[in-house]
Amino acid sequence: MAYGGSGRSQMDNQRRSPSWDGAPLTDFAITTVNVPDRLDMQEVRARESQDLEPSRSRGGGPLGGGFVAGVWLRRLLVAGIFGSLIFFAYTQVSPILDGLAADRIADRLTKSLGQRVTVADSRLEFSRSPRLALKGIDVAGKLQIDDVGLRFNYEEVLRAIRGRSRAWGEVEVGPLNLTHDQAMGLLDALPKVLTALPPSASVLRASSVSFSDYPLLPGRYEVVVRRGESDPLASIQMEMLDIEGEMRVQIMPRGPGEPIEFSLKALRWKAPIGPNAPWTDLVASGQVSPDLLLVDRYVGSSFYGVTQGLLVAARDVEWALTGTAQVININLEQLFRGLRPAAGGAGLDPSRSPFAGSASMNLVISGRGPTLGRAVDFATVTGPLEVRYAQLIGINLGLAAKQGVTSSGGGGLTRFTDLDATVSASRGQVRLTNIRGRAGAMAASGDVVVNDDLSISGALRVDFGMSRVLAPINLRVRGTALQPLFTP
């Protein structure tokens, strides 16, 4: 065993190569290669930056001077580019801003309209949405507009700067209160106004317009004016604001000096004249010019009947108003039921009406005044009234005359075979004169006045005819139209 082991050792020593210093080789080796890790690399970079810092602070040495020069060179380059951009933007925008000055805009409008126009101020506003605001516009001392805004967006501004043009959107006009002459002057000037606006401004919108001389057009309206492709003015649309139903007016402009055509359509609209009830449907058409208003046709229907006719208003020394109204098959029972809520009929049966029957009237309208509004306010409506199947509900008029029954709610009924009268209405008051009614042998005649609060007053004469040995009896009429009282 000893021999075998020593023999193997000698053989191993013979196979090994001698070392460089002659020392015997062993089974182990010690390496001297240092492999840096991540922390070592960070330490090396930190030492390099510390070595460079003194040179930077002193500005000495080739390395420090080159660094400072490079930093300032980059800064100057950025400043130069930024300044060039500012100068370029100014050269592009400056002509546009100069053209938006108040005096420049006033000069352009004056040349376009042929009338002196002044603009108090013009400025760009960005509070809600970007727009050019024109303040205090005066047209020849005849029309004043507090605010006009030309809308735009930023994309259009960039395109305008590149093309040195103005790209505007919708034009908005502040609240207006127009007389008849101002409305006519504005309609005449609109084509010239649209021509003076940039081509991109195709819509002009007035958010709140009222007409002080048009009692038939009460309240406020939104007016939208659209530019045409071939003509400066294509159409004008008006829509009434703050109402439960709908009321729209379409205006079709004509050539210079020609009447302007219009059409009106309303649904569930409470008209400023007539019974205090909405029209189910109302249509009208006509023409308007500075000295003429013609409604050549109007037709209105409601739950109580149909009304149609025409209306003409012309100005010479003053305004003169004439017209007709044909009222067909008015359901009196429905009419009085509609009046009950407006009169505050507390304690009254809403299903009951003091009158029933079908009424028809052929009315003539006339009025005069210094303005169109005053002529309408003082207009009178007169004409014959005829009622078929007339009934006085809740009272027997013959019995009331004999026994002194004073209320229409006590029971009974008076059926008239014939009933007619003359109607005259003006200033919130309706007069029924020359009343003639017949119920069998009994005849009734008289006059009654109905005020705007529905209170009534008047007198009736009841005659029982030759078959009764009774003298005619005079009755006073009092109370309200919803509950009349008859007293001897």
Side-chain angles (χ1 to χ4, degrees), residues 86-140:
I86 293 177
F87 178 75
F88 175 76
Y90 175 77
T91 58
Q92 299 297 312
V93 175
S94 179
I96 298 178
L97 294 179
D98 291 341
L100 300 181
D103 54 347
R104 298 287 185 88
I105 295 175
D107 290 341
R108 288 197 297 271
L109 291 175
T110 298
K111 293 177 182 178
S112 299
L113 298 180
Q115 303 181 65
R116 185 174 181 272
V117 180
T118 60
V119 180
D121 185 26
S122 67
R123 57 177 179 263
L124 293 174
E125 296 181 348
F126 301 91
S127 57
R128 292 178 297 175
S129 61
R131 71 170 192 153
L132 171 66
L134 307 180
K135 304 291 185 178
I137 300 175
D138 183 278
V139 182

Side-chain angles (χ1 to χ4, degrees), residues 11-26:
M11 294 176 64
D12 293 338
N13 291 335
Q14 292 176 359
R15 287 196 299 267
R16 293 173 180 166
S17 300
S19 63
W20 64 277
D21 57 353
L25 297 177
T26 64

Side-chain angles (χ1 to χ4, degrees), residues 118-363:
T118 60
V119 180
D121 185 26
S122 67
R123 57 177 179 263
L124 293 174
E125 296 181 348
F126 301 91
S127 57
R128 292 178 297 175
S129 61
R131 71 170 192 153
L132 171 66
L134 307 180
K135 304 291 185 178
I137 300 175
D138 183 278
V139 182
K142 300 178 181 179
L143 177 64
Q144 291 76 36
I145 304 176
D146 295 333
D147 179 80
V148 174
L150 280 75
R151 296 284 179 187
F152 62 92
N153 57 51
Y154 297 107
E155 182 180 354
E156 292 172 342
V157 172
L158 294 177
R159 288 200 301 267
I161 292 175
R162 288 196 296 266
R164 290 201 174 191
S165 62
R166 302 173 186 88
W168 306 105
E170 188 174 279
V171 180
E172 295 182 349
V173 181
L176 294 175
N177 185 13
L178 302 177
T179 64
H180 171 76
D181 291 336
Q182 289 176 333
M184 291 297 99
L186 189 57
L187 285 173
D188 183 60
L190 271 178
K192 300 177 182 178
V193 172
L194 293 176
T195 302
L197 292 175
S200 60
S202 59
V203 176
L204 188 151
R205 185 185 305 273
S207 58
S208 176
V209 181
S210 56
F211 303 94
S212 57
D213 283 348
Y214 297 152
L216 299 180
L217 295 177
R220 301 182 303 114
Y221 297 82
E222 181 187 51
V223 180
V224 179
V225 181
R226 299 189 182 278
R227 185 200 297 268
E229 295 182 0
S230 57
D231 298 327
L233 181 58
S235 66
I236 304 174
Q237 293 183 347
M238 297 186 351
E239 182 173 356
M240 192 172 182
L241 304 173
D242 305 328
I243 60 172
E244 295 182 0
E246 300 178 7
M247 201 282 269
R248 293 187 177 90
V249 179
Q250 177 82 21
I251 299 175
M252 288 72 71
R254 304 291 294 274
E258 298 182 11
I260 298 171
E261 297 182 352
F262 70 89
S263 62
L264 180 149
K265 185 172 184 180
L267 300 173
R268 303 178 305 279
W269 178 54
K270 186 177 292 186
I273 59 174
N276 189 21
W279 295 89
T280 305
D281 181 61
L282 176 66
V283 294
S285 61
Q287 299 177 349
V288 61
S289 63
D291 297 321
L292 177 68
L293 171 63
L294 170 63
V295 181
D296 53 23
R297 176 179 176 270
Y298 68 87
V299 179
S301 61
S302 64
F303 66 91
Y304 50 79
V306 177
T307 303
Q308 61 185 10
L310 59 87
L311 188 67
V312 180
R315 177 170 59 179
D316 188 3
V317 178
E318 59 180 359
W319 281 94
L321 177 69
T322 59
T324 62
Q326 185 180 10
V327 185
I328 306 171
N329 296 331
I330 296 296
N331 189 318
L332 293 180
E333 192 169 3
Q334 292 289 345
L335 175 63
F336 278 91
R337 287 177 181 174
L339 294 176
R340 191 176 298 274
L348 300 177
D349 185 356
S351 64
R352 293 182 61 85
S353 170
F355 297 96
S358 178
S360 297
M361 294 178 284
N362 288 310
L363 305 175

